[in-house]
Structure formats: C-alpha cells, structure tokens
Amino acid sequence: MTRAIRTTRMRTASVGAAILALSAGAALLGASCKAGPCRPGPDCPDPYAGTCPSGWGCAEPVWDGTYAVEGFNNSGVVAVWVGRPSEAPDCAESNYFHMTDLYLEPKTIDRCPRCIVEPVHERPYERVTLLKGGRCTDSTYIDALLVGEFVVPAGWDGSCVSQRSDVVPAPEDVDIAMGIREIISDCRLSLSLEDLDALWGKMFRVCRRTWPVDQYCDGLGTQCIPRMPPDFRECLEYRGDESIQACPRSHPELIRAHVGVDGCPGCSFRSPGGELTHTLTFYADEHCTQPIPSADSWDDGRCYDMPPSASPRSVSATYTAESVGECYVDISGEQKAELRPDGWVPFCCRPAP
C-alpha cells in the first residue's frame, strides 16, 4: 500500500552540512568561481553563481531589509507554474522534479476527480555521487567522504553525462560511486485532467530542484537551482506559526493555493511489483568511450566499488524493465454529500516574468 496522493507539506533534503564538515573552504570545481562572492570579470561573470553547476544559478535570498525572514527557508525554493490543469508542463522537461499540484479558482465543486494509476517503467537516478575512503562490500561506505557528483538532468534517460562537480579539496581518484533513485514506487498516481479542468480554473504546479553539494551559495543562505524556465516563477512556501499578512520584498506576491477537494475519499494504489534493472557505467574520459571496470557490489544499481586510482570523468545509465507489475486503484472511505475546496497553502513568489 502506498500513501494517499494528497500532500499538504513539502520537504527538501540537503547534505550540505556534511559537506561543510569536509572543508571550511568547500566549493565546486568546474564552476566559474571559487566559494564566496568574487568580482565580476572573465573568470567570474556572475558573483552570485560561483558555486553552482553550469546552467544553474543562486536562488533569490529572502529579504525584507535583512536576509532573515521568519517563516521562510531559503533552501526550500521551488519553481511554480500556474495555468489550466490540462496545460500543465512536465517538470522534468525544465530540469526539475515534480513535487506536488495545488489548485486555484474553484469552479462548481460537484465531483471528486477520478484517480488514475499507471505502471512506472523507469526510475531514473536523481544523483550520482563519488566518495573516498571506503568500500561497498564491507559497508565502510557509511564513513566515506563525498568528494564529487555528476550533474545529471531530471528524468535522466541514461545518455552520457560528463559535467562533474567536486568538493575542494577533492582527491584525483575515488573509491566508491553511488547512484540514488528517489522514486521507489512501482506505480504513478495522478488525477483526471478532464475532471480537474471542470473543478478548477487554474493549477499550481510545484517543481523542486536544488544542488545538494552547495549549502550556502556564496554565503547568501540560499541554494543553487536550475535557471527558471519560461512561464515559471520562483516561490517559497510559508511555514510560519502565525497567519501570513504580507510577503517579503524579495518574493512580494502572496498566493494561496487549495490542496484539493474536501469530502472526497482517499486515493492510493496497490501493486504486486515488477522487476526493473538499473545499471551505471563509469568512464575514464568525458565522452563515455573508455569504460572503467567497476563492480556493482549490491546488485541493485546503487553502490559501485571502483578499481585503484579510478577517476570517473563521465557516466551513463541503463534502465531495463524485465517485467512491469499491474497497478490497481484503492479508494478508501466514502464520498461526503458536501464537497468544497480543501484547505490552502500560502506561497510567496517573485513577480511573474
């Protein structure tokens, strides 16, 4: 059994604190600047993007005369699209991960949206990390230090990736490579777009993506995010204890989005499960032509022991669906006679482009 589709809170995780323990001068190689603000110039065109991967930038810090605004977390920045439910874009196409959908402008709330479930054929890797000082086979990977990471796109199809960012100081060779997949279910649950169009004027699609190796993004207290795609805007969820009255000047527009329809039964799914194979291949060059003979020590595509003096410069992935399990919708509870918009979640957003 998998949890109900409705989620009222969003959470992000970061390993930045662990990275800072490695070195007081933690930074990313391959980026244009060293850690900390630097003067604009040929080697540092943007003083606030020095520690971000190529094509990423620092999120706007929350401010209202100071950098600290109660009820907001700089590292929780999200990309938000607002429009008709049937026209909602795929977050992965903009290098973001889908977090949740909320709703605006209720119409006649006269039905519960139908639940749709479909099997997942792939569970792409979200992170591919490089570690030093341990082995997968004897579980010493627990104490290994994270020294680098490949910048893989959201919804990665497995094609060759060569952009690599390293923690400073990073050794030339690594002992372990790990692949992390966040999507662990066999089925994908969604709501009928036809029903959502009939119930709501607009959808509030929330997409997440931060760069976990960089905790403070040049000392501004924010994190790196992919460049904001067209028709998206940068927002933060308000998590304060008191009712919000106004947004900070950095993100001035207050938007309250509904969670869904109150009175509808819970919607989840069950599945006997399928068999999917995931494999990472590492290479000594940047074009995925010189494979490194690594060993998948857990036989599940997660942990790889590297040979002595290995220094991966690119990586590819293979996803194979040996078998795909059936997915079944589970409906819990009864529909109530009175249907109405369910709750709301407040966001503060930067102006629309």
Side-chain angles (χ1 to χ4, degrees), residues 273-343:
E275 185 177 351
L276 306 178
T277 302
H278 310 78
T279 305
L280 289 171
T281 303
F282 298 89
Y283 304 86
D285 68 313
E286 295 185 350
H287 305 288
C288 293
T289 62
Q290 301 173 25
I292 297 173
S294 57
D296 181 1
S297 303
W298 294 352
D299 197 29
D300 63 358
R302 282 191 296 162
C303 192
Y304 295 79
D305 282 326
M306 307 299 291
S309 303
S311 180
R313 296 300 176 190
S314 58
V315 62
S316 65
T318 301
Y319 310 112
T320 304
E322 307 292 346
S323 63
V324 179
E326 296 291 332
C327 297
Y328 305 93
V329 173
D330 271 344
I331 304 296
S332 59
E334 299 292 332
Q335 178 176 330
K336 297 179 182 179
E338 181 184 1
L339 299 178
R340 59 186 179 184
D342 186 10

Side-chain angles (χ1 to χ4, degrees), residues 131-336:
L131 302 98
K132 181 69 176 177
R135 307 299 288 174
C136 302
T137 48
D138 58 14
S139 298
T140 54
Y141 68 90
I142 297 175
D143 298 319
L145 297 179
L146 178 61
V147 297
E149 181 167 341
F150 284 102
V151 186
V152 299
W156 184 29
D157 63 2
S159 57
C160 186
V161 171
S162 60
Q163 186 180 354
R164 169 181 159 178
S165 294
D166 292 329
V167 175
V168 176
E172 183 65 20
D173 60 316
V174 300
D175 297 321
I176 304 172
M178 298 194 74
I180 301 172
R181 300 187 303 272
E182 298 293 341
I183 302 174
I184 59 174
S185 59
D186 296 317
C187 306
R188 179 179 294 108
L189 189 62
S190 61
L191 299 176
S192 163
L193 291 177
E194 179 184 358
D195 291 343
L196 292 176
D197 267 340
L199 292 167
W200 305 98
K202 292 181 180 179
M203 174 185 283
F204 195 84
R205 171 149 287 181
V206 184
C207 307
R208 63 174 176 85
R209 190 79 194 269
T210 57
W211 182 243
V213 176
D214 183 18
Q215 173 68 15
Y216 54 88
C217 203
D218 285 351
L220 292 177
T222 71
Q223 287 191 318
C224 298
I225 58 173
R227 300 295 184 187
M228 201 60 54
D231 301 323
F232 279 74
R233 56 203 306 192
E234 184 183 306
C235 301
L236 294 109
E237 182 183 358
Y238 175 70
R239 296 173 179 269
D241 296 328
E242 305 294 333
S243 177
I244 184 171
Q245 302 300 320
C247 287
R249 281 183 284 173
S250 57
H251 297 74
E253 184 174 352
L254 176 61
I255 300 176
R256 292 183 172 94
H258 291 284
V259 175
V261 178
D262 183 33
C264 291
C267 182
S268 59
F269 64 81
R270 54 190 172 88
S271 170
E275 185 177 351
L276 306 178
T277 302
H278 310 78
T279 305
L280 289 171
T281 303
F282 298 89
Y283 304 86
D285 68 313
E286 295 185 350
H287 305 288
C288 293
T289 62
Q290 301 173 25
I292 297 173
S294 57
D296 181 1
S297 303
W298 294 352
D299 197 29
D300 63 358
R302 282 191 296 162
C303 192
Y304 295 79
D305 282 326
M306 307 299 291
S309 303
S311 180
R313 296 300 176 190
S314 58
V315 62
S316 65
T318 301
Y319 310 112
T320 304
E322 307 292 346
S323 63
V324 179
E326 296 291 332
C327 297
Y328 305 93
V329 173
D330 271 344
I331 304 296
S332 59
E334 299 292 332
Q335 178 176 330
K336 297 179 182 179

